[in-house]
Amino acid sequence: MDNYSYLSNADPKALEALYQQFKNDPNSIDEGWKKFFEGFEFAQTEYSMLPDGQASSTAQTTTGTNTVSDKEVQVRNLIHAYRTRAHLRSKTNPVRERKDRKPILDLADFNLSESDLDTQFISGEELGIGKAPLRKIIETLKYIYEGTVGFEYMYVRDPEKLKWLREKIEKDALSFKPSHAQRERILSKLNEAVVFENFLHTKYLGQKRFSLEGGETTIAALDAIINKGAELGVKEVMIGMAHRGRLNVLANIMGKTYEQIFSEFEGNSTPDLTMGDGDVKYHMGFSSQITAVNGEKVELKLAPNPSHLEAVNPVVEGFVRAKGDEEYNRDRSKILPILIHGDAAVAAQGIVYEVTQMGNLEGYNTGGTIHFVINNQVGFTTDFDDARSSIYCTDVAKIIDAPVLHVNGDDPEAVVFCVQFATEYRQKFGEDIFVDMVCYRRHGHNESDEPKFTQPSLYNVISKHPNPREVYNKQLIEKGEIEAALAKKLDKEFRALLQDRLNLVKQKPLPYIYQPLEEEWRNLRRSKPEDFEQSPETGISNDTLKKVADALTTIPKGFKPLKQIEKQLKQRKDMFFKEKSLNWAAGELLAYGSLLLDGKKVRLTGQDVQRGTFSHRHAVLHDANTNEAYNSLNHLGADNKFEIYNSLLSEFGVMGFEFGYAMANPNALTLWEGQFGDFANGAQVMVDQFISCSETKWQRMNGMVLLLPHGYEGQGPEHSNARPERYLQLSAEYNMVVANITTPANFFHALRRQLTWEFRKPLVVMSPKSLLRHPKVVSPVEDFTSGRFQEVIGDDYATAKSVKRVLLCSGKIYYDLLERQEADKRKDVAIVRVEQIQPFPTNQVNEILSQYKGAEVFWVQEEPENMGYWSFILRAYKDKVLTLISRKASASPATGYAKVHAAEQEKLVDQAFAKN
């Protein structure tokens, strides 16, 4: 029931008194009435129905020369109801009758009757029709709100946007009439889409292509978005979509040659396997440049996407953010993200919610996204009744007040109106908007699937239903807009063109001009095995170190930090200028600051990264009195700012966003930090489908860094293990680096190495927790001004000739072993730290072990036997006999009892130092 339906029973005199009270003091009345008077009726229309612009009565009373009857109040309520709920009646479904959603729009719902239709003359000025009989007003409302577009927008709370939306809907919708040329273009794009699908279906019967049949109007829609965007200043468009319709988009929007597409279908394509394994034809990405109708050049990108449907969404947003930052000087209006969803996926996939929540956040805003839903009404085999609880698949839009336009896919002109509307909204307000194109899927989930198994009645209708081109063609011929002969000519010409392509008549691909960031990627090279034998030099100058140190230890005049921060700042200053020895946080921030001074970008996001989960980083300080933020590394005098954002409480979405950012810019150190390492479990799809296989599967290098706090300190199963075995299991072909680092200087060099290498690799760091403040986890300043990343660190304490046992280990367990080694003065036991597990530094380890002739070699880890590094070490180190010391195999990563943990840890160390 609408909030204002109670007006139908209101006493006009009481209503008048309430309005006068509102005028005297808006806050003195009920919030519902206040909203009514402010925005929904009286203020919405600006009381334009009265000559002097001042509504003074809602009853049959007079003030001066003006009267407002109770009938007029009811009509206003009716108009408001149409704006709010008529989308529930709109004719958006091309193949099914709409369910009765109880829109409450009948005359009786407003104390009106049939007799009022021709007897009541009401001002319809707000609808653009002046004073008119009620019948005319209702006809106008029906035309606007009950046609093939359902407008959902009245929940938008911003008055400026609401006013713009209403005027756009009620004025432009009435006057929208494409020109002859525009209609011919719409038909041409439909023709291309339909014939392309029909041709493939005929020539490659039974092959999977995830056709667009039933939703071909998508091609006309994307064409309209791109051209409208170009008209409004868009220079680049980035599209993310799953597989349905992807080949059609590649051919008819992106300009991929038909030759390439047909060659892949014929199985004749011979990819450059030096770039990896690739993926199926309907997953790969593509880049091109086109000329819009207005003559402007537009860059087009289609992001690669696996079968995880909506997984590409944050990748697109991160990519767009990076391009906007670097190539468009943060002018978000110049690059437009379009996310194409399926109805079942947009309603059910949690990543959609995460990305929608990002939309207006400072760290993730991309200037608004156009969400286009290809609403097939069936998800694989599941009817929408079983696929969601909400009425619409797009109801997630309401969390950010994004308008939704539901439109019938069999009405291409309405679809074009909606997407042009959406493009204008995005460019004007810089926020998200959704277009839900209700269509159908002519075949099953793929072309060899039988949909009648689960939807026999629906597919009986679909099998007889003409395609969108036929529907539109018939409409135009009946209107006399385009002769039948022209339609037949377009069809014949395009079929001939497709046959030429299949006959290998060469289609000349458009030359591609690389953008500046793309040239940067092209200047990089692919890695070689020998690149991992020794890291490049990554030390910095004393001058750079001093500049960063000054920035990290100086606060502005008048800035009042908390007492704890004052203490930390003093300690930080002492580390840099007195002790000349840096802890983990200082070494990390020094890496970031030095990269900024090198002209690189640094972007770090994650939950609470500004101070750090363990209150160690304090990259951003807050004034104790004003809460004003102070980002120390933004005061280096570098060209770039230190982009560090506390993220929303998301892993999947944020990790994907940062992967996209890193994919766009090779000169940005892009990091995501988990509060605890196993929080990355929630983003495993992103690790599996993008990070670990970016180079081999998607043919895209990526230098993203994951910081995953890891180590057994008795904090229980959820806060101990970052699951290093998962990343190691995904490791092959030098696809990424997995490390567990034990010194601040080595971490510093690992971060700088990411942008020093002549190639890019993802870096996964099992980062510390207790080691952040461990007194031994410090590095002298000279280790930062010279040197390189150390893949392996040998033992300086043991006496080589007397060593009978060598303990290979990685990460925090080293300090537990070191404590026992020093306490017991065990010079006969050497501890060797493997700082980089993948790629495994075999030659370096062998060189160190060669010092200890005849010694037993153990692998020591604090993780259970079935977790951690052990299985990977066995594969990577086949030529050595190793013995494992670890916790027993376990289903849980760690015990939840502190005393049990302490006992287990002590037992590990005892075993490691047991005398032969």
Side-chain angles (χ1 to χ4, degrees), residues 1-3 5 81-82 84-90 98-106 109-110 146 391-392:
M1 177 69 69
D2 184 78
N3 289 339
S5 60
Y82 260 87
T84 306
R85 299 192 303 275
H87 57 84
L88 298 171
R89 267 192 189 170
S90 56
R98 291 209 59 182
K99 289 189 171 188
D100 181 7
R101 301 291 189 181
K102 307 290 189 297
I104 315 174
L105 292 174
D106 295 335
D109 295 320
F110 302 90
E146 287 191 34
I391 291 177
Y392 295 116

Side-chain angles (χ1 to χ4, degrees), residues 9-229:
N9 299 315
D11 175 14
K13 291 182 180 179
L15 199 59
E16 167 70 8
L18 194 61
Y19 178 57
Q20 292 300 331
Q21 185 180 343
F22 165 78
K23 288 177 67 176
N24 294 331
D25 182 4
N27 296 318
S28 67
I29 63 172
D30 176 79
E31 186 67 21
W33 283 110
K34 179 184 173 186
K35 283 185 177 180
F36 170 76
F37 289 129
E38 278 182 342
F40 290 154
E41 297 303 327
F42 292 95
Q44 266 185 29
T45 64
E46 297 175 352
Y47 315 114
S48 58
M49 63 173 288
L50 298 179
D52 63 359
Q54 296 297 314
S56 60
S57 176
T58 56
Q60 292 178 325
T61 57
T62 62
T63 303
T65 60
N66 301 315
T67 64
V68 183
S69 71
D70 60 337
K71 291 285 186 183
E72 288 176 305
V73 170
Q74 304 312 328
V75 173
R76 288 183 175 186
N77 296 338
L78 178 64
I79 292 171
H80 175 73
Y82 260 87
R83 289 168 172 165
T84 306
R85 299 192 303 275
H87 57 84
L88 298 171
R89 267 192 189 170
S90 56
K91 300 169 185 65
T92 54
N93 199 319
V95 291
R96 296 186 188 185
E97 286 296 320
R98 291 209 59 182
K99 289 189 171 188
D100 181 7
R101 301 291 189 181
K102 307 290 189 297
I104 315 174
L105 292 174
D106 295 335
L107 291 174
D109 295 320
F110 302 90
N111 282 352
L112 297 168
S113 66
E114 293 287 328
S115 63
D116 293 319
L117 291 174
D118 298 306
T119 60
Q120 292 296 320
F121 281 73
I122 310 292
S123 173
E125 188 174 333
E126 59 181 294
L127 296 173
I129 56 175
K131 194 157 189 175
L134 178 56
R135 183 183 299 279
K136 176 67 174 175
I137 289 174
I138 290 178
E139 284 174 357
T140 304
L141 289 170
K142 285 181 178 293
Y143 180 83
I144 296 170
Y145 287 107
E146 287 191 34
T148 52
V149 181
F151 297 101
E152 261 197 300
Y153 70 102
M154 287 296 284
Y155 49 79
V156 174
R157 284 165 285 198
D158 184 299
E160 182 189 359
K161 292 175 193 159
L162 192 62
K163 184 173 184 289
W164 186 89
L165 287 164
R166 190 181 71 246
E167 290 181 355
K168 191 80 179 167
I169 290 163
E170 295 179 353
K171 292 180 182 175
D172 286 22
L174 284 170
S175 60
F176 182 71
K177 184 181 179 183
S179 67
H180 181 86
Q182 289 170 325
R183 282 175 165 156
E184 188 171 332
R185 185 174 182 91
I186 292 170
L187 181 59
S188 176
K189 298 312 287 186
L190 282 173
N191 193 51
E192 291 176 11
V194 170
V195 176
F196 179 81
E197 295 291 354
N198 181 260
F199 187 89
L200 287 182
H201 188 62
T202 303
K203 296 291 184 181
Y204 303 105
L205 189 65
Q207 276 211 44
K208 288 183 184 180
R209 70 179 192 277
F210 297 101
S211 80
L212 193 56
E213 289 176 82
E216 292 97 333
T217 313
T218 299
I219 300 302
L222 288 175
D223 180 68
I225 292 173
I226 292 164
N227 282 295
K228 190 66 176 179

